Amino acid sequence: MKILAASDLHLNTDCRTAILQQAPRADVVIIAGDFAQRRKGLDEFMPPFEAIADKAIFVPGNNETEEELRAATSAKVLHGDTTEWQGLTIAGIGCAIPPLPPLPWGSADMTEDEAETMLGRIAQADILISHSPPYGHCDYHVGLGRHLGSVALETAIRRMNAKLVLCGHVHDSWGARSQIGASTIANVGPVPVFFEV
């Protein structure tokens, strides 16, 4: 299966155009959250994605809630659930995990305990889409000098043994790759990239 993946578009129309132009070459288009900017702009930004909605899977980031994203697209939205795609199980979880410091615009966040409970309902996945990266993998923030990923995700990836984990969220780590057991972790960022699974 040929996957076209991106994350953290933040209303960037050039990145949206690049995704739409390359989508015909993909079996599935996966976007790992943060379409909006500070919970604004989805209504204007999302309509062009309707052209590929039948082959797209999205998760919400922390710049939009699950409800806001579902209202803005007819594409498949995953958050704590799975879907079957060409014989593979794809799971998804959105939000910032762990929570960011309080922000005036209301970041969509989850605690590690909430994420652990949500991920615990997913028995297995061939591909995991997560807005946040797992702790210690593709999650290093240079300015803060520390890792910002999720321990609950790192634990769940070891249990699920997914072939591929696509994430975003930590902008300083866009393009980073890592490995947890047999799972390849990729912080994809806004420039679309292809994967084969």
Side-chain angles (χ1 to χ4, degrees), residues 123-176:
Q124 182 274 334
D126 298 297
I127 300 167
L128 174 62
I129 313 163
S130 171
H131 179 59
S132 293
Y135 184 81
H137 299 270
C138 306
D139 70 333
Y140 191 75
H141 189 289
V142 175
L144 297 175
R146 61 187 174 96
H147 294 279
L148 301 179
S150 165
V151 173
L153 274 163
E154 196 266 346
T155 301
I157 290 165
R158 292 188 185 280
R159 174 179 55 79
M160 288 182 199
N161 206 27
K163 296 178 180 91
L164 179 64
V165 179
L166 299 170
C167 60
H169 185 49
V170 180
H171 296 194
D172 285 0
S173 289
W174 286 343

Short mmCIF file of all heavy atoms in Angstrom, two decimals, residues 123-176:
data_model
loop_
_atom_site.label_atom_id
_atom_site.label_comp_id
_atom_site.label_asym_id
_atom_site.label_seq_id
_atom_site.Cartn_x
_atom_site.Cartn_y
_atom_site.Cartn_z
N ALA A 123 -6.53 -3.21 20.11
CA ALA A 123 -5.76 -4.44 20.34
C ALA A 123 -4.53 -4.52 19.45
O ALA A 123 -3.45 -4.93 19.89
CB ALA A 123 -6.65 -5.66 20.10
N GLN A 124 -4.69 -4.12 18.20
CA GLN A 124 -3.61 -4.29 17.23
C GLN A 124 -3.79 -3.29 16.11
O GLN A 124 -4.91 -2.88 15.80
CB GLN A 124 -3.64 -5.72 16.67
CG GLN A 124 -2.55 -6.08 15.68
CD GLN A 124 -2.88 -5.72 14.23
OE1 GLN A 124 -4.04 -5.65 13.87
NE2 GLN A 124 -1.87 -5.47 13.43
N ALA A 125 -2.69 -2.88 15.49
CA ALA A 125 -2.75 -2.01 14.31
C ALA A 125 -1.51 -2.24 13.46
O ALA A 125 -0.41 -2.43 13.99
CB ALA A 125 -2.84 -0.55 14.73
N ASP A 126 -1.70 -2.24 12.16
CA ASP A 126 -0.56 -2.29 11.24
C ASP A 126 0.05 -0.91 11.08
O ASP A 126 1.26 -0.78 10.91
CB ASP A 126 -1.02 -2.82 9.87
CG ASP A 126 -1.56 -4.23 9.96
OD1 ASP A 126 -0.79 -5.13 10.33
OD2 ASP A 126 -2.77 -4.42 9.68
N ILE A 127 -0.81 0.12 11.13
CA ILE A 127 -0.37 1.51 11.04
C ILE A 127 -1.05 2.28 12.16
O ILE A 127 -2.25 2.13 12.37
CB ILE A 127 -0.75 2.13 9.68
CG1 ILE A 127 -0.09 1.36 8.53
CG2 ILE A 127 -0.36 3.61 9.62
CD1 ILE A 127 -0.65 1.70 7.16
N LEU A 128 -0.28 3.08 12.87
CA LEU A 128 -0.83 3.94 13.91
C LEU A 128 -0.59 5.39 13.50
O LEU A 128 0.55 5.77 13.20
CB LEU A 128 -0.18 3.66 15.26
CG LEU A 128 -0.58 4.60 16.41
CD1 LEU A 128 -2.07 4.52 16.71
CD2 LEU A 128 0.24 4.29 17.67
N ILE A 129 -1.66 6.17 13.48
CA ILE A 129 -1.57 7.61 13.22
C ILE A 129 -1.78 8.31 14.55
O ILE A 129 -2.80 8.12 15.20
CB ILE A 129 -2.65 8.09 12.23
CG1 ILE A 129 -2.74 7.18 11.01
CG2 ILE A 129 -2.39 9.53 11.82
CD1 ILE A 129 -4.03 7.37 10.24
N SER A 130 -0.81 9.11 14.95
CA SER A 130 -0.92 9.84 16.21
C SER A 130 -0.46 11.27 15.98
O SER A 130 0.59 11.49 15.36
CB SER A 130 -0.04 9.18 17.27
OG SER A 130 0.03 9.98 18.43
N HIS A 131 -1.23 12.23 16.45
CA HIS A 131 -0.75 13.60 16.32
C HIS A 131 0.56 13.77 17.10
O HIS A 131 1.53 14.30 16.58
CB HIS A 131 -1.79 14.61 16.80
CG HIS A 131 -1.30 16.02 16.68
ND1 HIS A 131 -0.91 16.56 15.47
CD2 HIS A 131 -1.08 16.98 17.61
CE1 HIS A 131 -0.48 17.79 15.66
NE2 HIS A 131 -0.58 18.08 16.95
N SER A 132 0.59 13.29 18.32
CA SER A 132 1.79 13.40 19.15
C SER A 132 2.73 12.23 18.89
O SER A 132 2.29 11.12 18.62
CB SER A 132 1.40 13.41 20.63
OG SER A 132 0.69 14.58 20.95
N PRO A 133 4.02 12.46 19.01
CA PRO A 133 4.98 11.37 18.90
C PRO A 133 5.13 10.62 20.23
O PRO A 133 4.74 11.13 21.28
CB PRO A 133 6.28 12.08 18.54
CG PRO A 133 6.14 13.45 19.08
CD PRO A 133 4.67 13.77 19.11
N PRO A 134 5.67 9.41 20.18
CA PRO A 134 5.97 8.70 21.42
C PRO A 134 7.19 9.33 22.11
O PRO A 134 8.07 9.89 21.45
CB PRO A 134 6.28 7.27 20.94
CG PRO A 134 6.77 7.45 19.54
CD PRO A 134 6.02 8.63 18.98
N TYR A 135 7.23 9.20 23.42
CA TYR A 135 8.31 9.80 24.19
C TYR A 135 9.67 9.24 23.76
O TYR A 135 9.87 8.03 23.66
CB TYR A 135 8.13 9.58 25.69
CG TYR A 135 9.19 10.28 26.49
CD1 TYR A 135 9.09 11.63 26.77
CD2 TYR A 135 10.32 9.60 26.93
CE1 TYR A 135 10.09 12.30 27.47
CE2 TYR A 135 11.32 10.25 27.63
CZ TYR A 135 11.20 11.60 27.90
OH TYR A 135 12.20 12.25 28.58
N GLY A 136 10.61 10.16 23.49
CA GLY A 136 11.97 9.77 23.15
C GLY A 136 12.18 9.45 21.69
O GLY A 136 13.29 9.07 21.30
N HIS A 137 11.15 9.63 20.88
CA HIS A 137 11.24 9.29 19.46
C HIS A 137 10.59 10.39 18.63
O HIS A 137 9.38 10.64 18.74
CB HIS A 137 10.55 7.95 19.18
CG HIS A 137 11.14 6.82 19.92
ND1 HIS A 137 12.18 6.06 19.42
CD2 HIS A 137 10.88 6.32 21.16
CE1 HIS A 137 12.51 5.13 20.30
NE2 HIS A 137 11.74 5.27 21.37
N CYS A 138 11.39 11.08 17.82
CA CYS A 138 10.88 12.12 16.91
C CYS A 138 10.14 13.21 17.67
O CYS A 138 9.18 13.79 17.15
CB CYS A 138 9.96 11.50 15.86
SG CYS A 138 10.68 10.14 14.93
N ASP A 139 10.59 13.50 18.88
CA ASP A 139 9.85 14.43 19.75
C ASP A 139 10.74 15.46 20.43
O ASP A 139 10.33 16.09 21.40
CB ASP A 139 9.10 13.64 20.83
CG ASP A 139 10.02 13.00 21.86
OD1 ASP A 139 11.19 12.69 21.54
OD2 ASP A 139 9.57 12.78 23.00
N TYR A 140 11.96 15.66 19.94
CA TYR A 140 12.88 16.57 20.63
C TYR A 140 12.64 18.01 20.21
O TYR A 140 12.64 18.34 19.03
CB TYR A 140 14.33 16.18 20.36
CG TYR A 140 15.30 16.91 21.27
CD1 TYR A 140 15.42 16.53 22.60
CD2 TYR A 140 16.06 17.97 20.81
CE1 TYR A 140 16.28 17.19 23.46
CE2 TYR A 140 16.93 18.64 21.65
CZ TYR A 140 17.04 18.25 22.97
OH TYR A 140 17.89 18.91 23.82
N HIS A 141 12.41 18.86 21.20
CA HIS A 141 12.21 20.29 20.98
C HIS A 141 13.51 21.00 21.32
O HIS A 141 13.95 21.02 22.48
CB HIS A 141 11.07 20.80 21.87
CG HIS A 141 10.65 22.20 21.56
ND1 HIS A 141 11.42 23.30 21.85
CD2 HIS A 141 9.52 22.67 20.96
CE1 HIS A 141 10.79 24.39 21.46
NE2 HIS A 141 9.64 24.04 20.91
N VAL A 142 14.15 21.55 20.28
CA VAL A 142 15.47 22.15 20.45
C VAL A 142 15.41 23.33 21.42
O VAL A 142 16.24 23.46 22.32
CB VAL A 142 16.03 22.59 19.08
CG1 VAL A 142 17.35 23.34 19.26
CG2 VAL A 142 16.23 21.39 18.18
N GLY A 143 14.41 24.21 21.24
CA GLY A 143 14.31 25.40 22.08
C GLY A 143 14.16 25.09 23.55
O GLY A 143 14.72 25.77 24.40
N LEU A 144 13.38 24.06 23.86
CA LEU A 144 13.17 23.66 25.25
C LEU A 144 14.25 22.69 25.73
O LEU A 144 14.38 22.47 26.93
CB LEU A 144 11.79 23.03 25.42
CG LEU A 144 10.59 23.94 25.14
CD1 LEU A 144 9.29 23.16 25.22
CD2 LEU A 144 10.57 25.11 26.12
N GLY A 145 14.95 22.09 24.80
CA GLY A 145 16.02 21.16 25.16
C GLY A 145 15.54 19.88 25.81
O GLY A 145 16.22 19.34 26.69
N ARG A 146 14.36 19.40 25.39
CA ARG A 146 13.85 18.17 25.98
C ARG A 146 12.86 17.48 25.04
O ARG A 146 12.42 18.04 24.05
CB ARG A 146 13.18 18.45 27.33
CG ARG A 146 11.99 19.38 27.27
CD ARG A 146 11.51 19.72 28.69
NE ARG A 146 10.45 20.70 28.69
CZ ARG A 146 9.16 20.42 28.73
NH1 ARG A 146 8.75 19.17 28.79
NH2 ARG A 146 8.25 21.38 28.75
N HIS A 147 12.56 16.23 25.40
CA HIS A 147 11.59 15.43 24.66
C HIS A 147 10.18 15.80 25.11
O HIS A 147 9.94 16.01 26.30
CB HIS A 147 11.84 13.94 24.89
CG HIS A 147 13.14 13.47 24.31
ND1 HIS A 147 13.30 13.18 22.98
CD2 HIS A 147 14.35 13.27 24.89
CE1 HIS A 147 14.55 12.81 22.76
NE2 HIS A 147 15.21 12.86 23.90
N LEU A 148 9.24 15.85 24.15
CA LEU A 148 7.87 16.28 24.46
C LEU A 148 6.83 15.20 24.18
O LEU A 148 5.64 15.45 24.28
CB LEU A 148 7.51 17.53 23.65
CG LEU A 148 8.38 18.76 23.85
CD1 LEU A 148 7.90 19.89 22.96
CD2 LEU A 148 8.39 19.19 25.30
N GLY A 149 7.27 13.99 23.82
CA GLY A 149 6.34 12.95 23.41
C GLY A 149 5.63 12.27 24.57
O GLY A 149 5.80 12.61 25.74
N SER A 150 4.84 11.26 24.20
CA SER A 150 3.95 10.58 25.14
C SER A 150 4.48 9.21 25.55
O SER A 150 4.76 8.35 24.70
CB SER A 150 2.57 10.40 24.49
OG SER A 150 1.79 9.48 25.20
N VAL A 151 4.54 8.99 26.85
CA VAL A 151 4.93 7.68 27.39
C VAL A 151 3.85 6.65 27.07
O VAL A 151 4.16 5.50 26.72
CB VAL A 151 5.17 7.79 28.91
CG1 VAL A 151 5.39 6.41 29.53
CG2 VAL A 151 6.34 8.71 29.20
N ALA A 152 2.58 7.04 27.17
CA ALA A 152 1.49 6.10 26.87
C ALA A 152 1.57 5.61 25.43
O ALA A 152 1.33 4.43 25.14
CB ALA A 152 0.14 6.76 27.13
N LEU A 153 1.91 6.50 24.51
CA LEU A 153 2.06 6.11 23.11
C LEU A 153 3.24 5.16 22.92
O LEU A 153 3.14 4.17 22.20
CB LEU A 153 2.27 7.35 22.24
CG LEU A 153 1.00 8.03 21.76
CD1 LEU A 153 1.32 9.44 21.28
CD2 LEU A 153 0.35 7.23 20.66
N GLU A 154 4.35 5.47 23.57
CA GLU A 154 5.54 4.62 23.43
C GLU A 154 5.21 3.20 23.91
O GLU A 154 5.56 2.21 23.26
CB GLU A 154 6.70 5.23 24.24
CG GLU A 154 8.05 4.66 23.89
CD GLU A 154 8.46 3.52 24.80
OE1 GLU A 154 7.83 3.34 25.85
OE2 GLU A 154 9.42 2.80 24.45
N THR A 155 4.50 3.09 25.02
CA THR A 155 4.11 1.78 25.56
C THR A 155 3.15 1.07 24.61
O THR A 155 3.29 -0.13 24.35
CB THR A 155 3.46 1.95 26.94
OG1 THR A 155 4.40 2.60 27.81
CG2 THR A 155 3.04 0.62 27.53
N ALA A 156 2.17 1.80 24.07
CA ALA A 156 1.19 1.20 23.17
C ALA A 156 1.83 0.73 21.88
O ALA A 156 1.45 -0.33 21.34
CB ALA A 156 0.07 2.20 22.88
N ILE A 157 2.80 1.46 21.37
CA ILE A 157 3.47 1.05 20.13
C ILE A 157 4.20 -0.26 20.34
O ILE A 157 4.16 -1.15 19.48
CB ILE A 157 4.43 2.17 19.67
CG1 ILE A 157 3.62 3.37 19.18
CG2 ILE A 157 5.37 1.67 18.58
CD1 ILE A 157 4.43 4.65 19.03
N ARG A 158 4.85 -0.42 21.49
CA ARG A 158 5.54 -1.69 21.78
C ARG A 158 4.54 -2.85 21.82
O ARG A 158 4.83 -3.95 21.36
CB ARG A 158 6.31 -1.59 23.09
CG ARG A 158 7.50 -0.65 23.02
CD ARG A 158 8.36 -0.71 24.26
NE ARG A 158 9.41 0.30 24.20
CZ ARG A 158 10.55 0.18 23.52
NH1 ARG A 158 10.77 -0.93 22.83
NH2 ARG A 158 11.44 1.15 23.52
N ARG A 159 3.37 -2.59 22.37
CA ARG A 159 2.34 -3.65 22.46
C ARG A 159 1.72 -3.95 21.10
O ARG A 159 1.54 -5.10 20.73
CB ARG A 159 1.26 -3.21 23.45
CG ARG A 159 0.07 -4.16 23.51
CD ARG A 159 -0.97 -3.69 24.52
NE ARG A 159 -1.45 -2.34 24.30
CZ ARG A 159 -2.37 -2.00 23.38
NH1 ARG A 159 -2.87 -2.92 22.56
NH2 ARG A 159 -2.78 -0.75 23.28
N MET A 160 1.40 -2.92 20.33
CA MET A 160 0.73 -3.10 19.04
C MET A 160 1.65 -3.66 17.96
O MET A 160 1.21 -4.34 17.05
CB MET A 160 0.18 -1.76 18.54
CG MET A 160 -1.01 -1.25 19.28
SD MET A 160 -1.55 0.31 18.51
CE MET A 160 -2.51 0.99 19.84
N ASN A 161 2.94 -3.32 18.08
CA ASN A 161 3.92 -3.77 17.09
C ASN A 161 3.54 -3.31 15.68
O ASN A 161 3.66 -4.06 14.71
CB ASN A 161 4.06 -5.29 17.15
CG ASN A 161 5.42 -5.75 16.67
OD1 ASN A 161 6.40 -5.01 16.76
ND2 ASN A 161 5.47 -6.95 16.14
N ALA A 162 3.03 -2.10 15.56
CA ALA A 162 2.64 -1.55 14.26
C ALA A 162 3.85 -1.45 13.35
O ALA A 162 4.96 -1.17 13.79
CB ALA A 162 2.00 -0.17 14.44
N LYS A 163 3.63 -1.66 12.06
CA LYS A 163 4.73 -1.54 11.10
C LYS A 163 5.18 -0.09 10.97
O LYS A 163 6.37 0.20 10.80
CB LYS A 163 4.27 -2.05 9.73
CG LYS A 163 3.93 -3.51 9.68
CD LYS A 163 3.43 -3.90 8.29
CE LYS A 163 3.09 -5.37 8.23
NZ LYS A 163 1.71 -5.63 8.55
N LEU A 164 4.21 0.84 11.02
CA LEU A 164 4.50 2.25 10.77
C LEU A 164 3.69 3.12 11.72
O LEU A 164 2.48 2.90 11.89
CB LEU A 164 4.14 2.60 9.32
CG LEU A 164 4.36 4.04 8.86
CD1 LEU A 164 5.84 4.43 8.90
CD2 LEU A 164 3.81 4.22 7.43
N VAL A 165 4.35 4.10 12.33
CA VAL A 165 3.69 5.09 13.18
C VAL A 165 3.96 6.46 12.58
O VAL A 165 5.12 6.88 12.44
CB VAL A 165 4.21 5.04 14.63
CG1 VAL A 165 3.53 6.11 15.48
CG2 VAL A 165 4.01 3.65 15.23
N LEU A 166 2.88 7.16 12.20
CA LEU A 166 2.99 8.48 11.59
C LEU A 166 2.51 9.52 12.60
O LEU A 166 1.42 9.40 13.14
CB LEU A 166 2.14 8.55 10.33
CG LEU A 166 2.55 7.57 9.22
CD1 LEU A 166 1.50 7.55 8.12
CD2 LEU A 166 3.92 7.93 8.67
N CYS A 167 3.34 10.53 12.86
CA CYS A 167 3.01 11.53 13.86
C CYS A 167 3.46 12.90 13.39
O CYS A 167 3.95 13.07 12.27
CB CYS A 167 3.64 11.17 15.22
SG CYS A 167 5.45 11.08 15.18
N GLY A 168 3.30 13.90 14.24
CA GLY A 168 3.71 15.27 13.96
C GLY A 168 3.90 16.00 15.27
O GLY A 168 4.61 15.56 16.14
N HIS A 169 3.24 17.16 15.39
CA HIS A 169 3.11 17.93 16.63
C HIS A 169 4.38 18.68 17.03
O HIS A 169 4.34 19.89 17.26
CB HIS A 169 2.63 17.03 17.78
CG HIS A 169 2.36 17.74 19.06
ND1 HIS A 169 1.59 18.88 19.13
CD2 HIS A 169 2.74 17.46 20.33
CE1 HIS A 169 1.51 19.28 20.40
NE2 HIS A 169 2.20 18.44 21.14
N VAL A 170 5.51 17.99 17.16
CA VAL A 170 6.75 18.66 17.58
C VAL A 170 7.46 19.15 16.32
O VAL A 170 8.15 18.39 15.63
CB VAL A 170 7.64 17.71 18.41
CG1 VAL A 170 8.92 18.43 18.83
CG2 VAL A 170 6.89 17.19 19.63
N HIS A 171 7.31 20.43 16.03
CA HIS A 171 7.78 20.99 14.77
C HIS A 171 9.29 20.87 14.62
O HIS A 171 9.79 20.69 13.51
CB HIS A 171 7.37 22.46 14.65
CG HIS A 171 5.89 22.66 14.58
ND1 HIS A 171 5.33 23.87 14.17
CD2 HIS A 171 4.84 21.85 14.86
CE1 HIS A 171 4.01 23.77 14.21
NE2 HIS A 171 3.69 22.56 14.63
N ASP A 172 10.04 20.95 15.70
CA ASP A 172 11.49 20.85 15.62
C ASP A 172 11.95 19.48 15.13
O ASP A 172 13.09 19.33 14.70
CB ASP A 172 12.13 21.11 16.99
CG ASP A 172 12.11 22.58 17.37
OD1 ASP A 172 11.61 23.40 16.58
OD2 ASP A 172 12.60 22.91 18.46
N SER A 173 11.07 18.49 15.20
CA SER A 173 11.43 17.13 14.81
C SER A 173 10.80 16.69 13.48
O SER A 173 10.81 15.51 13.15
CB SER A 173 11.05 16.14 15.92
OG SER A 173 11.90 16.29 17.03
N TRP A 174 10.23 17.63 12.73
CA TRP A 174 9.70 17.27 11.41
C TRP A 174 10.79 16.60 10.58
O TRP A 174 11.93 17.06 10.52
CB TRP A 174 9.22 18.51 10.67
CG TRP A 174 7.92 19.08 11.17
CD1 TRP A 174 6.99 18.47 11.96
CD2 TRP A 174 7.41 20.39 10.90
NE1 TRP A 174 5.93 19.31 12.20
CE2 TRP A 174 6.16 20.49 11.56
CE3 TRP A 174 7.88 21.47 10.17
CZ2 TRP A 174 5.38 21.64 11.50
CZ3 TRP A 174 7.10 22.62 10.11
CH2 TRP A 174 5.87 22.70 10.77
N GLY A 175 10.44 15.49 9.98
CA GLY A 175 11.39 14.74 9.16
C GLY A 175 12.18 13.71 9.93
O GLY A 175 12.87 12.88 9.33
N ALA A 176 12.09 13.71 11.25
CA ALA A 176 12.84 12.75 12.06
C ALA A 176 12.25 11.35 11.91
O ALA A 176 11.05 11.17 11.71
CB ALA A 176 12.82 13.16 13.53
#
